Amino acid sequence: MWRLLRITLLLLVLAVVVSQTWLDRIHTTSWNRTLWIGIYPLNGDGSQTAERYVSGLRAEDFVDIERFYAREAQRYGIEVAEPVHVELYPTPAQLPPLLPQGAGALTTVWWSLKLRWYAAHAAHTGDRPPSDIRVFVLFHDPAMTPRVPHSLGLEKGLVGVVYAFADRGAQGGNAVVIAHEVMHTLGATDKYDPDTDMPIYPQGFADPQRQPRYPQLRAEIMAGRRALSSTQAEMPDSLREVVVGPLTAAEIRWIR
Ligand SMILES: [Zn+2]
């Protein structure tokens, strides 16, 4: 009896999660109204540098992300003038739950539920309208943390966790990572080789037809880097050097 009840309850939760994901997908990829992206800045390493940087942030610091989505959407014939709007929200009281390194499938599922729970509560900011997609940006002092873990974006729950640098010079690179993780929440997949980090040909190339093929002048957003040769790639300095390739455009339903 208990066993049956437990299984029924679990199936019910699963059904709710699956249908919610399906509804989210229809809602976020209709592209007939502006998607609201909430940026929640956090001090990722407890440093004074990150603290100062976070308190000095303004919504205008993220305007490149809006411009990138508007420019690229227009190329694919999307008519809404402002496909995404980026809004800066106050810093949540706590850091998001972190996925333990080398976590198994069960731990990962549990963590993703905790993250969604965290996002739902941390994003509750009273008088402000709620955002469609919530991106928690953990700023790090580059002197203390020269390398940060991989950022992530979850389509289920429309949540992103971005590791960023608390440095004005890194603002363009941070915007590339945020735009990439937002793409994940919209259903786009990575277009780089996870073993080598190299863009995958042709879908991870901004200009696959280019002769000679290398160096590529711009990066595809889901490859994250532009190929300089068959073995070298570099991260772009800003979203001005990034495009949305046709496969990514199809995944987020800019092409139908
Ligand atoms: Zn990715």
Side-chain angles (χ1 to χ4, degrees):
M1 178 64 191
W2 271 117
R3 193 181 150 76
L4 194 68
L5 202 67
R6 247 172 42 208
I7 292 173
T8 312
L9 204 68
L10 213 63
L11 284 176
L12 212 66
V13 169
L14 201 69
V16 169
V17 169
V18 167
S19 61
Q20 187 59 48
T21 303
W22 182 72
L23 286 173
D24 282 347
R25 173 138 182 93
I26 291 176
H27 176 69
T28 54
T29 58
S30 66
W31 302 110
N32 52 21
R33 61 165 199 96
T34 301
L35 268 186
W36 200 281
I37 297 174
I39 302 276
Y40 297 83
L42 295 120
N43 181 345
D45 58 9
S47 68
Q48 285 198 340
T49 304
E51 195 67 39
R52 229 176 301 129
Y53 192 82
V54 166
S55 60
L57 282 171
R58 294 167 311 153
E60 297 88 83
D61 295 329
F62 302 93
V63 77
D64 272 2
I65 299 166
E66 292 177 356
R67 289 195 185 126
F68 166 75
Y69 273 88
R71 183 191 75 214
E72 293 300 298
Q74 198 181 27
R75 273 199 321 120
Y76 286 98
I78 298 298
E79 282 171 1
V80 58
E82 195 185 24
V84 310
H85 170 74
V86 180
E87 189 79 2
L88 185 63
Y89 282 82
T91 295
Q94 281 173 348
L95 290 174
L98 299 180
L99 181 62
Q101 269 196 341
L106 212 63
T107 315
T108 305
V109 168
W110 179 235
W111 162 83
S112 82
L113 286 175
K114 278 200 297 190
L115 180 61
R116 292 172 70 165
W117 178 264
Y118 167 86
H121 289 83
H124 197 76
T125 45
D127 50 336
R128 311 270 296 270
S131 45
D132 297 302
I133 296 166
R134 291 150 297 185
V135 184
F136 299 95
V137 186
L138 280 67
F139 287 93
H140 293 75
D141 178 356
M144 241 170 83
T145 320
R147 287 181 64 87
V148 289
H150 272 298
S151 300
L152 57 102
L154 296 182
E155 186 181 357
K156 296 180 185 66
L158 305 175
V159 182
V161 177
V162 168
Y163 294 88
F165 291 113
D167 176 32
R168 285 283 153 199
Q171 192 168 305
N174 291 340
V176 173
V177 180
I178 295 170
H180 175 106
E181 302 309 336
V182 168
M183 281 282 174
H184 273 313
T185 70
L186 300 172
T189 58
D190 280 325
K191 289 164 188 71
Y192 63 85
D193 181 335
D195 294 327
T196 62
D197 281 355
M198 285 296 295
I200 296 170
Y201 186 82
Q203 63 267 36
F205 281 56
D207 188 2
Q209 258 81 52
R210 180 177 156 81
Q211 290 290 346
R213 189 181 290 174
Y214 305 105
Q216 289 280 311
L217 302 181
R218 291 176 300 173
E220 203 283 329
I221 185 68
M222 298 317 287
R225 309 201 297 163
R226 68 183 178 103
L228 303 173
S229 71
S230 61
T231 54
Q232 286 174 296
E234 99 180 343
M235 178 126 180
D237 292 329
S238 86
L239 283 166
R240 280 183 291 274
E241 298 156 40
V242 181
V243 300
V244 173
L247 184 55
T248 301
E251 287 169 337
I252 64 167
R253 301 182 72 223
W254 279 356
I255 303 174
R256 282 167 210 194

